[in-house]
């Protein structure tokens, strides 16, 4: 129980630090991370990519989404059900689908027709 409380406190502290970063610095860091990802051999060789939909305080993943669709790769995003605490990975078919996702509290909510691929009890980075 103490570990969960420590994790929660750490997340809250990191969230405040990230909120305080200037917009220009967030953009610079996002560009650096995204460029490294897009140039990596693993990414370039992968045909199926799982990516999170970013919020304001996170690395901006919109450029990754654009590249996935420009490159003809398949894109999968997490869909979280807060009632059951379950996470499904669902296929996002196009950038237009992404742009049409409704937003709730800054988090895109997959209410459009998306195809569930598999269920995950936790999220991990996987190259497929």
């Amino acid at each position: 129980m103490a570990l969960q409380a420590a994790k929660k406190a750490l997340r809250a502290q990191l969230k405040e630090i990230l909120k305080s970063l200037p917009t220009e610095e967030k953009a610079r860091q996002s560009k650096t991370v995204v460029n490294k990802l897009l140039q990596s051999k693993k990414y370039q060789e992968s045909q199926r990519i799982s990516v999170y939909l970013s919020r304001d305080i996170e690395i901006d993943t919109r450029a990754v989404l654009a590249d996935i669709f420009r490159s003809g790769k398949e894109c999968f995003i997490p869909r979280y059900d807060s009632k059951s605490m379950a996470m499904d990975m669902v296929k996002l078919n196009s950038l237009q689908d992404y742009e049409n996702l409704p937003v709730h509290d800054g988090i895109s909510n997959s209410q459009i027709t998306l195809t569930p691929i598999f269920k995950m009890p936790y999220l991990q980075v996987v190259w497929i």
Side-chain angles (χ1 to χ4, degrees), residues 22 29 31-32 40-41 44-45 48 61-62 67 69 78 88 92 104 107-108 111 115 124 128:
Q29 289 186 24
K31 185 176 179 179
T32 299
S40 75
K41 185 177 179 180
Q44 291 174 3
E45 291 175 349
R48 306 174 84 205
T61 58
R62 288 175 294 180
D67 187 77
F69 293 113
D88 294 333
L92 189 64
H104 176 69
I107 302 173
S108 292
Q111 293 177 354
T115 307
Q124 64 184 23
I128 52 177

Side-chain angles (χ1 to χ4, degrees), residues 71-113:
S71 303
K73 299 175 187 290
E74 290 182 284
C75 181
F76 301 90
I77 59 173
R79 179 177 56 190
Y80 179 71
D81 181 355
S82 59
K83 292 178 186 172
S84 68
M85 303 276 295
M87 185 178 293
D88 294 333
M89 296 305 291
V90 293
K91 185 174 181 180
L92 189 64
N93 296 305
S94 68
L95 267 180
Q96 185 173 354
D97 279 354
Y98 164 72
E99 292 164 359
N100 290 333
L101 289 174
V103 175
H104 176 69
D105 293 333
I107 302 173
S108 292
N109 182 7
S110 305
Q111 293 177 354
I112 62 171
T113 302

